[in-house]
Amino acid sequence: MKLIHNYECEGRPWTSSIPRLSQRISTLTFMGNFPESVQLIQPQLNAIIAASMSIKSSTKLKKILEIILAFGNYMNSSKRGAAYGFRLQSLDLLLDTKSTDRKQTLMHFIVNIIQEKYPELQSFHTELHFLDKASLVSVDSILQDLRALERDNPVLQSFLNSNMELLNCLIADGKTAQDAYDSAVEYFGENPKTTLPSMFFPILIRFIKAYKQAELDIEQRNKQHEAPLTPPKPEVMGNKVGTINSRAQMDLIAELKKRQMSPLVREGKTEPSRTLSQVHNNLYVFVSVL
């Protein structure tokens, strides 16, 4: 630094005397930033892998979505036949349908049914991991960083040889993260090329938050010894249906049990770009088209 300072004070062009200066600076930067890059990328890859795999493997989440599907199919049975599924984003609409007194939502009613009939499913969110962290990750950006690290340079050969095992592990995890995320997104009938983690994971984050809030609301109502929860008014996300009475609730439970015996769940492989009517060969557990 002292020599450079002296050169600058004398007005001498010191940079011209250093051959391949830009390449050397790039090399030093790469070598200096490599450990930090690994520490930055690895947790992001782990978050994508854990979140994607936990969503797809959660049996309790599948059952809850199956209950919501059966509920929606029952409420819309007078308008259309049973639906096999719909876009995952429609989970947000469970908060839009409210009872006549405006104090309860469809989410409250569904949570109440789960608490009474399927209490073992209430802890479904414990099977989902790292959703918050995964929602902040840009898979494309991470893969670009990995490709940059993977580029070979003869000048760095000795450095790369000593760090090749770490680099290969990072590249392998990058592929695993991409495959796991694509599989989870396609599992719900979406296109991973157009559905970013910042769009996909927050849907379930909001659903979990709304579910927990509904549980708290029900607990507070029970403590206050208020009247039991009543079903929401007969208007479900744009469709008019008949009032749900006690008999209807029994029919709904029967519908749920029937779906558990013969669920509208099929497994296979299909292209993510297909329309909803073409996804019968994939394993999709969604809410009804409401």
Side-chain angles (χ1 to χ4, degrees):
M1 292 301 298
K2 183 178 180 180
L3 289 173
I4 292 175
H5 178 70
N6 293 336
Y7 267 76
E8 290 177 339
C9 291
E10 297 173 4
R12 299 167 63 181
W14 63 273
T15 56
S16 62
S17 62
I18 303 177
R20 302 185 306 279
L21 177 63
S22 60
Q23 292 90 334
R24 293 187 177 190
I25 292 178
S26 298
T27 298
L28 291 173
T29 301
F30 175 86
M31 295 173 64
N33 291 340
F34 184 80
E36 182 180 350
S37 298
V38 172
Q39 293 178 6
L40 179 65
I41 293 174
Q42 190 67 65
Q44 297 182 70
L45 294 176
N46 292 341
I48 287 289
I49 294 172
S52 300
M53 296 184 69
S54 67
I55 288 174
K56 189 172 179 180
S57 63
S58 173
T59 56
K60 293 181 180 180
L61 176 63
K62 294 175 187 176
K63 286 296 183 182
I64 283 186
L65 296 182
E66 185 178 347
I67 289 171
I68 299 174
L69 170 64
F71 190 90
N73 274 335
Y74 176 79
M75 296 189 73
N76 290 322
S77 59
S78 62
K79 295 292 184 180
R80 64 193 72 182
Y84 282 90
F86 86 116
R87 305 295 293 275
L88 192 64
Q89 288 90 330
S90 294
L91 286 176
D92 292 333
L93 302 180
L94 294 176
L95 296 176
D96 294 343
T97 304
K98 297 183 179 181
S99 59
T100 53
D101 60 6
R102 311 294 294 177
K103 294 182 178 180
Q104 304 167 46
T105 65
L106 185 55
M107 177 68 80
H108 288 102
F109 191 62
I110 290 174
V111 170
N112 193 55
I113 288 180
I114 292 174
Q115 288 180 337
E116 292 182 359
K117 303 296 182 180
Y118 307 95
E120 71 279 4
L121 302 181
Q122 295 182 82
S123 61
F124 76 96
H125 47 81
T126 62
E127 295 183 344
L128 308 179
H129 309 292
F130 297 101
L131 298 186
D132 290 330
K133 293 182 178 179
S135 67
L136 302 176
V137 177
S138 171
V139 177
D140 289 340
S141 177
I142 291 296
L143 294 180
Q144 289 177 7
D145 291 341
L146 285 175
R147 284 191 288 269
L149 291 177
E150 192 177 8
R151 284 196 294 267
D152 192 6
N153 188 328
V155 179
L156 295 176
Q157 194 60 56
S158 60
F159 173 80
L160 290 176
N161 288 339
S162 62
N163 291 275
M164 188 58 68
E165 183 177 354
L166 179 59
L167 181 59
N168 287 339
C169 289
L170 202 62
I171 294 171
D173 285 347
K175 186 179 186 305
T176 301
Q178 180 72 73
D179 292 344
Y181 178 73
D182 289 353
S183 178
V185 173
E186 290 175 353
Y187 181 75
F188 287 98
E190 303 292 346
N191 186 346
K193 293 183 179 180
T194 58
T195 305
L196 302 177
S198 59
M199 300 166 53
F200 179 71
F201 293 113
I203 295 173
L204 292 174
I205 293 174
R206 292 192 297 270
F207 175 70
I208 293 172
K209 181 179 179 180
Y211 187 96
K212 290 182 177 180
Q213 183 60 51
E215 285 183 320
L216 291 175
D217 295 342
I218 293 172
E219 181 181 357
Q220 291 177 357
R221 287 177 182 273
N222 292 337
K223 288 182 178 180
Q224 295 172 359
H225 303 288
E226 291 186 359
L229 285 174
T230 57
K233 65 181 181 180
E235 182 176 345
V236 182
M237 304 175 194
N239 293 321
K240 306 263 184 199
V241 295
T243 303
I244 301 179
N245 50 32
S246 298
R247 176 61 184 173
Q249 292 185 38
M250 296 301 296
D251 292 341
L252 174 60
I253 298 302
E255 171 76 5
L256 295 174
K257 291 181 178 179
K258 181 176 69 174
R259 294 192 184 286
Q260 286 185 336
M261 297 297 295
S262 302
L264 293 177
V265 176
R266 309 200 178 174
E267 191 163 7
K269 194 170 184 180
T270 186
E271 294 298 324
S273 59
R274 293 183 180 179
T275 60
L276 187 58
S277 62
Q278 297 173 307
V279 300
H280 295 177
N281 291 328
N282 254 4
L283 178 55
Y284 298 147
V285 185
F286 301 118
V287 188
S288 170
V289 179
L290 297 176

